[in-house]
Amino acid sequence: MIPFLNLKDLNASLRDELLEACARVIDSGWYIMGQELRAFEQEFADYCGSRHCIGVANGLDALTLTLRAWRELGRLQEGDEIMVPANTYIATLLAITENGLKPVLVEPDEHSFNLSPEAVRKALGPRTRALLPVHLYGRLADMPALGRIAAEHGLLVLEDAAQGHGASLGSRKAGNWGDAAGFSFYPGKNLGALGDGGAITTSDPELATTLQALRNYGSHVKYQNLYQGVNSRLDELQAAMLRVKLRHLDRQTARRQQIARHYLDGMNNPAVQLPIWERAEQHVWHLFVVRSQQRDRLQQLLGEAGVQTMIHYPIPPHKQQAYPELNAQTLPLTERIHQEVLSLPMDPSMTDEQVSRVIDAVNQARL
């Protein structure tokens, strides 16, 4: 079976460097909020092109705490509306509702799967206060167009960059387009820790200072608490692992892009719709997602051919039991996407022979 993502092999290629980083942390005697975190925050900020990076416990906290900080700073108020693509993972909505804000679900662009600027303009209302575009599957949302809308209407922009490490348009990377960005370092991400982790990037010093307190019980100085904060800190061990992996991210991204090119050039099954790749952009291919009206049958046939696949995501957020107030909404494009998408193996450790086998299995699937 060709695995969807072989984290064991992927991490084995970095074993010596990871062990050295782990030993460095153990020997330091300092395990929370130390030199490794400070070094990683600077290195990742530099990588994204932002002025600040704040390490937190996970990607959901990165989004939740940013919106919370804007509330603390008076830039958002309870009941304000946040525009978000309807076809995202539920975490994007959880960050909004956790802060007493209202998600406004917007249909995506059908070709990029990302937030549609045209749909955003149509959905603008008097309580719209922010845009929350998602760089879905590793492709940068249309940030130039969304940025223009935000500037025209005085809106905040928070990038959900959980799948977008290194994605860019020109030389400007994800994490440096909005007022802030939330990243996840879940092990399966392009930049993945060996546990959970997340970070916020921003060039706003006031926001950065507020976030540094919120993640640490609301405190800058021990036992002095400015806010009712939380405990959400990227620990020293994960920061050290991420410092190693960041050095290899561009190389691994290049391999992902090479695999994607082979897929796009080699797959020719008329019942399978391939993603569109505008070569001028830096698509980092966190996921390679195809569409088929016979998705479940395609997944079955690929499994029988020895190819592991996944569905991202089978149920859209507005149809989840967690959000009964959204269940009555009808979003035809989003619902169709969730019924048709299938993610093929996308793993920098794949061999060319495995890539060819995936291509052959897709082309030979009789649908």
Side-chain angles (χ1 to χ4, degrees):
M1 177 71 73
I2 298 173
F4 178 76
L5 177 62
N6 191 331
L7 287 176
K8 183 177 179 180
D9 283 357
L10 194 61
N11 289 323
S13 68
L14 306 176
R15 179 182 176 84
D16 290 344
E17 293 177 73
L18 292 171
L19 287 174
E20 189 277 329
C22 183
R24 188 172 66 241
V25 173
I26 294 171
D27 293 344
S28 75
W30 194 296
Y31 309 117
I32 298 286
M33 303 280 282
Q35 292 182 1
E36 296 293 339
L37 176 60
R38 287 192 293 272
F40 172 71
E41 287 176 333
Q42 186 61 62
E43 290 162 7
F44 193 61
D46 291 343
Y47 180 82
C48 295
S50 63
R51 292 177 60 187
H52 306 281
C53 171
I54 302 93
V56 294
N58 54 68
L60 174 57
D61 282 1
L63 298 176
T64 303
L65 289 175
T66 302
L67 295 171
R68 166 76 186 282
W70 281 335
R71 287 207 60 183
E72 293 287 354
L73 293 169
R75 301 180 196 177
L76 292 175
Q77 298 178 7
E78 184 172 355
D80 283 347
E81 295 180 351
I82 315 296
M83 283 201 188
V84 63
N87 61 314
T88 186
Y89 182 53
I90 196 171
T92 318
L93 271 69
L94 291 172
I96 297 170
T97 55
E98 177 67 18
N99 281 285
L101 304 168
K102 181 180 177 181
V104 175
L105 303 179
V106 180
E107 291 271 47
D109 176 85
E110 186 164 10
H111 300 294
S112 71
F113 297 96
N114 280 328
L115 188 61
S116 164
E118 293 77 14
V120 166
R121 285 192 181 277
K122 292 178 182 178
L124 287 169
R127 291 299 301 273
T128 306
R129 294 293 181 269
L131 307 180
L132 212 171
V134 180
H135 304 319
L136 198 65
Y137 309 149
R139 181 177 187 173
L140 197 75
D142 189 349
M143 297 308 297
L146 293 172
R148 287 191 292 271
I149 295 172
E152 291 170 13
H153 296 274
L155 307 178
L156 295 164
V157 179
L158 172 57
E159 303 169 62
D160 182 339
Q163 301 181 3
H165 315 76
S168 65
L169 183 61
S171 61
R172 193 170 176 181
K173 287 188 173 73
N176 191 30
W177 285 89
D179 297 283
F183 287 86
S184 168
F185 303 129
Y186 181 78
K189 303 298 186 184
N190 291 28
L191 180 61
L194 272 68
D196 233 331
I200 302 139
T201 57
T202 182
S203 291
D204 179 345
E206 186 179 32
L207 176 62
T209 300
T210 305
L211 286 164
Q212 287 162 354
L214 285 174
R215 70 170 174 186
N216 188 39
Y217 300 99
S219 173
H220 290 297
V221 179
K222 195 169 185 177
Y223 304 130
Q224 297 180 26
N225 304 84
L226 298 174
Y227 311 103
Q228 296 178 22
V230 300
N231 177 7
S232 181
R233 302 172 299 200
L234 181 65
D235 67 63
E236 287 289 280
L237 188 59
Q238 297 305 335
M241 302 295 105
L242 289 165
R243 292 185 68 196
V244 171
K245 291 195 159 194
L246 183 58
R247 295 197 294 266
H248 297 273
L249 178 58
D250 287 345
R251 174 181 59 80
Q252 292 180 350
T253 296
R255 176 57 178 163
R256 288 175 181 271
Q257 292 171 331
Q258 186 180 52
I259 293 168
R261 289 191 190 99
H262 286 314
Y263 281 172
L264 292 169
D265 292 341
M267 292 179 183
N268 55 24
N269 189 323
V272 178
Q273 181 180 332
L274 301 177
I276 295 173
W277 184 7
E278 300 292 344
R279 300 301 173 91
E281 64 183 351
Q282 174 84 343
H283 192 326
V284 297
W285 296 103
H286 172 61
L287 298 172
F288 189 96
V289 180
V290 300
R291 290 175 64 182
S292 175
Q293 294 181 9
Q294 301 178 65
R295 186 265 309 281
D296 294 343
R297 175 62 175 161
L298 175 61
Q299 185 174 43
Q300 177 188 347
L301 292 173
L302 293 180
E304 292 171 357
V307 176
Q308 184 184 35
T309 60
M310 295 187 70
I311 297 173
H312 296 89
Y313 306 95
I315 304 172
H318 70 285
K319 296 301 182 183
Q320 295 284 358
Q321 186 175 345
Y323 285 108
E325 68 274 21
L326 302 178
N327 290 170
Q329 290 193 31
T330 300
L331 295 158
L333 175 56
T334 291
E335 291 160 20
R336 188 165 72 249
I337 287 172
H338 283 257
Q339 292 166 1
E340 296 179 354
V341 292
L342 185 67
S343 300
L344 304 183
M346 176 51 71
D347 180 348
S349 68
M350 289 175 72
T351 66
D352 289 344
E353 189 270 338
Q354 288 177 316
V355 173
S356 295
R357 283 173 55 193
V358 174
I359 293 170
D360 290 343
V362 171
N363 289 342
Q364 292 168 15
R366 295 292 173 257
L367 301 171

